[in-house]
Amino acid sequence: MRKGFVFGLLLFFASSLMAESNRAFLSWSDFLKGEFHSVDRMAMERRSTSKTVMRGGGDYRFYSEDSKSLTKWIKERPLFIEWNDTLYLNCRRLKYDGGTFGKWYAPALLIDNIIYFSASPVGSAYKGMGGLVGATVAKDQRVYYSLNPSNGEMKILGEPDILKLIDTCPDLKEAYEKDVNRTDIEVIGEYLYKIKNCNSD
C-alpha cells in the first residue's frame, strides 16, 4: 500500500481542521469562469467508519463553527469547495444506479472537463462488482466515478477507462501497465493526477 497520498482514502476517523479562507463554486459554469465565494473559518470533518458503513457516498463534511445558517448554505449550495488546494465535489444531488451519495463531499479532480471523484459505492455497486476493485465491494471501500457535468452521465471508472485516458502519455502508460498495484484505489488516484499533469504539459 502506498502512503502519503493526498486523498487519504483509507482513513475513516473523524477529524476537524480549520482554514481561514476557502473557495466555494456554486455551479459548473461558475467553476469554469473562476467565479467563487470566499468562505472564512470553515471546518472540515472526515467521516467516521460507522457513518461510512451506514451509508455510501462522500467522506467529508464542511461546516462553519460560527454560523448554523452558513453551515446550511455550505451543505446545500456549492457544487465544489476548494480546500487547501484540493477540490471537493458536493455529492448531495448525485445519484447512481438507484443509489444516492448523501450530503457529504468527495475529493475530486478534472481531466478534460470530466470530473473524477472517489467515494464509497452506492446502488448495485454496494452489492458487488468485478474488475477494478475486486469481486465484492463493501461500503467501507472506495471506487472512482467519472461524471460528465454537461450531460450528467456517470459511471464507475474501470481499467479500460484509465488505459484510454493514459493513452496520450506513453511513458506513464507503460509504467501503469507494469504496476502490480494498479487496481488499488490509492494508486488509481495517483495515476489520475499524473494523467492530469501530463495533459496539462
Side-chain angles (χ1 to χ4, degrees), residues 7-101:
F7 281 170
L9 291 172
L10 298 183
L11 299 177
F12 304 113
F13 56 87
S15 66
S16 179
L17 303 173
M18 289 298 298
E20 289 304 315
S21 182
N22 298 278
R23 297 177 175 183
F25 300 88
L26 301 189
S27 67
W28 176 242
S29 61
D30 284 354
F31 181 79
L32 292 178
K33 291 183 291 186
E35 297 178 356
F36 60 87
H37 295 260
S38 294
V39 184
D40 296 331
R41 292 187 53 78
M42 182 170 61
M44 181 179 77
E45 174 191 348
R46 184 179 289 118
R47 187 160 60 155
S48 66
T49 302
S50 60
K51 289 180 179 178
T52 301
V53 173
M54 287 295 291
R55 188 181 184 95
D59 285 327
Y60 298 89
R61 180 173 76 95
F62 294 94
Y63 62 97
S64 168
E65 293 190 338
D66 303 322
S67 169
K68 289 183 178 179
S69 61
L70 180 56
T71 294
K72 186 174 186 294
W73 183 89
I74 292 169
K75 181 191 298 183
E76 297 178 356
R77 290 296 308 281
L79 173 64
F80 293 116
I81 283 179
E82 190 178 68
W83 168 275
N84 293 339
D85 297 323
T86 298
L87 198 65
Y88 294 85
L89 172 68
N90 192 343
C91 296
R92 181 180 178 85
R93 298 179 181 87
L94 296 182
K95 295 181 180 179
Y96 179 77
D97 199 20
T100 60
F101 286 81

Side-chain angles (χ1 to χ4, degrees), residues 28 79 89 93-99 101 113-115 117 145-156:
W28 176 242
L79 173 64
L89 172 68
R93 298 179 181 87
L94 296 182
K95 295 181 180 179
Y96 179 77
D97 199 20
F101 286 81
N113 285 340
I114 300 296
I115 302 167
F117 68 98
Y145 297 85
S146 65
L147 171 62
N148 186 334
S150 64
N151 60 20
E153 181 181 343
M154 187 188 305
K155 66 178 181 178
I156 289 177

Side-chain angles (χ1 to χ4, degrees), residues 118-188:
S118 60
S120 58
V122 300
S124 62
Y126 168 60
K127 299 176 182 178
M129 58 176 283
L132 208 58
V133 293
T136 303
V137 180
K139 280 192 177 178
D140 61 350
Q141 293 179 298
R142 296 294 175 274
V143 294
Y144 265 93
Y145 297 85
S146 65
L147 171 62
N148 186 334
S150 64
N151 60 20
E153 181 181 343
M154 187 188 305
K155 66 178 181 178
I156 289 177
L157 195 66
E159 190 165 352
D161 301 305
I162 296 177
L163 287 171
K164 185 176 180 180
L165 282 170
I166 212 171
D167 200 45
T168 57
C169 309
D171 293 341
L172 194 55
K173 182 177 182 180
E174 183 179 357
Y176 174 79
E177 291 175 332
K178 292 179 179 179
D179 196 329
V180 296
N181 298 311
R182 64 181 179 272
T183 59
D184 292 350
I185 191 68
E186 307 100 315
V187 179
I188 294 167

